[in-house]
């Protein structure tokens, strides 16, 4: 069974609409795809509606923005109740803060580059706005060749244009996800080229106490040493091991199915989750 449990649609910062993503998953020969847009569940319905025609099973999820001591961490949450008030409120707060933060970054960037806030809005569906949308505006303005180049420049965490946004504490987020009947998995925990500092092992230990199920080990932002370190940490904490493409459509080189989740981990997520998979 080919399971790619972590992808993005245009409901956050991917470029495929959810139904297009499902068709792309079928073309890539996937049996199961996880739609995990940042801080939202808004794409679930459209993706679910495309299950019968594509024959691809849908794993409903969200990639939750978290931060601990100024260090960003992404938490994948699967099969939780989308009506859960505490979680929905946290998502809304994070999206709101993403918007304010993007505006702040655009104000700073606009001093040196020819982009406006309207240009950035035009690159998104206006939901869960992130740096990739600013990157797209910079590319459209001709300032950079592609998203990658923009991320290496004014969008880098180390750049003077960078601004932070509100995000949940990752331990609290694990507890919230479990309280909503969901199953949390830490996304790319060792992706060190994204930011200089990583979340310390003690935080992952506390997350494990709070219900964390697995670490994403096989991810293109992890080099061989990162994968070894993540696998060791998962072993030490008794956590499962996952893998994914973190597909973003045309916005990134990540290809659907380039890394996969083992079937027994999916089985456990389905056992523990409040929602079923959406099957053809
Ligand atoms: P944000 O959530 O606004 O801080 O932006 C981070 C998002 O940008 C992550 O979800 C990544 O998928 C994406 N991202 C990070 N680095 C790059 C890159 N070099 N090219 C394209 N997208 C990137
Ligand atoms: Zn993203
Ligand atoms: Fe992520
Ligand atoms: Fe992601």
């Amino acid at each position: 069974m080919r399971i790619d449990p972590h992808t993005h649609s245009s409901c956050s910062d991917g470029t495929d609409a959810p139904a297009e993503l499902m068709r792309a998953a079928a073309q890539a020969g996937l049996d199961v795809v996880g739609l995990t847009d940042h801080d939202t569940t808004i794409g679930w319905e459209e993706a679910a509606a495309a299950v019968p025609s594509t024959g691809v099973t849908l794993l409903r999820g969200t990639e939750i923005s978290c931060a601990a001591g100024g260090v960003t961490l992404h938490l994948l949450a699967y099969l939780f109740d989308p009506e859960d008030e505490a979680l929905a409120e946290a998502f809304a707060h994070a999206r709101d803060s993403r918007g304010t933060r993007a505006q702040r970054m655009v104000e700073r960037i606009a001093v040196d580059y020819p982009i406006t806030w309207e240009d950035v809005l035009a690159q998104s569906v206006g939901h869960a706005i992130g740096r990739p949308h600013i990157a797209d505006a910079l590319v459209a303005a001709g300032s950079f060749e592609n998203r990658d180049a923009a991320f290496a420049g004014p969008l880098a965490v180390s750049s003077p244009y960078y601004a932070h946004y509100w995000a949940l504490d990752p331990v609290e987020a694990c507890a919230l996800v479990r309280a909503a009947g969901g199953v949390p998995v830490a996304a790319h925990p060792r992706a060190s080229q994204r930011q200089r500092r990583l979340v310390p092992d003690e935080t992952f230990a506390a997350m494990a106490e709070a219900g964390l199920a697995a670490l994403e080990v096989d991810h293109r932002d992890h080099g061989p040493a990162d994968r070894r370190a993540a696998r060791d940490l998962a072993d030490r904490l008794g956590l499962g091991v996952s893998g994914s493409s973190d597909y973003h459509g045309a916005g990134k080189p990540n290809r659907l199915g380039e890394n996969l989740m083992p079937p027994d981990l999916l089985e456990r997520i389905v056992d523990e989750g409040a929602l079923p998979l959406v099957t053809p």
Side-chain angles (χ1 to χ4, degrees):
M1 225 199 337
R2 286 168 54 79
I3 307 156
D4 187 345
H6 174 180
T7 71
H8 298 268
S9 77
S10 54
C11 290
S12 63
D13 55 4
T15 58
D16 295 353
E20 287 168 352
L21 171 70
M22 295 303 290
R23 286 196 287 275
Q27 252 159 23
L30 294 179
D31 300 294
V32 183
V33 69
L35 175 63
T36 53
D37 278 311
H38 297 281
D39 303 311
T40 185
T41 58
I42 203 171
W44 286 7
E45 208 181 318
E46 185 183 320
V51 165
S53 61
T54 57
V56 176
T57 293
L58 174 67
L59 170 64
R60 289 170 286 183
T62 293
E63 187 172 13
I64 307 177
S65 305
C66 297
V71 180
T72 296
L73 181 68
H74 289 169
L75 185 71
L76 297 161
Y78 294 111
L79 303 180
F80 56 87
D81 172 11
E83 311 267 301
D84 181 85
E85 270 182 40
L87 210 48
E89 199 175 299
F91 291 173
H93 191 175
R95 289 197 304 267
D96 216 55
S97 179
R98 277 177 167 282
T100 316
R101 170 265 205 155
Q103 263 177 289
R104 188 171 313 133
M105 283 187 68
V106 171
E107 273 167 29
R108 294 174 186 172
I109 291 169
V111 174
D112 298 314
Y113 296 91
I115 59 162
T116 65
W117 179 237
E118 284 66 37
D119 297 335
V120 175
L121 281 182
Q123 298 295 335
S124 85
V125 294
H127 202 75
I129 294 185
R131 284 180 287 157
H133 304 114
I134 306 177
D136 291 345
L138 286 163
V139 172
S143 299
F144 291 91
E145 194 76 45
N146 50 40
R147 276 189 180 181
D148 231 30
F151 266 89
L155 299 178
V157 177
S158 57
S159 117
Y161 308 105
Y162 188 84
H164 287 278
Y165 60 99
W166 178 87
L168 272 171
D169 172 81
V171 180
E172 195 186 326
C174 286
L176 277 178
V177 170
R178 284 292 183 178
V183 184
V185 173
H188 45 74
R190 296 276 165 175
S192 53
Q193 85 287 11
R194 290 184 180 216
Q195 55 187 354
R196 253 180 313 238
R197 279 189 305 143
L198 288 173
V199 172
D201 290 357
E202 302 81 76
T203 303
F204 289 107
M207 290 168 71
E209 289 284 316
L212 186 68
L215 299 180
E216 198 174 59
V217 171
D218 296 319
H219 185 287
R220 74 155 56 210
D221 291 1
H222 285 167
D226 300 323
R227 290 182 199 215
R228 271 196 302 277
R231 206 175 288 275
D232 279 357
L233 183 60
D235 283 350
R236 264 183 284 138
L237 298 176
L239 299 171
V241 164
S242 188
S244 79
S245 68
D246 202 355
Y247 175 77
H248 278 69
K252 287 177 114 179
N254 310 33
R255 301 283 40 110
L256 281 167
E258 67 180 29
N259 293 294
L260 300 171
M261 173 186 274
D264 59 335
L265 178 57
L266 179 66
E267 210 170 295
R268 177 178 162 203
I269 289 171
V270 172
D271 281 348
E272 295 178 5
L275 300 180
L277 296 170
V278 184
T279 53

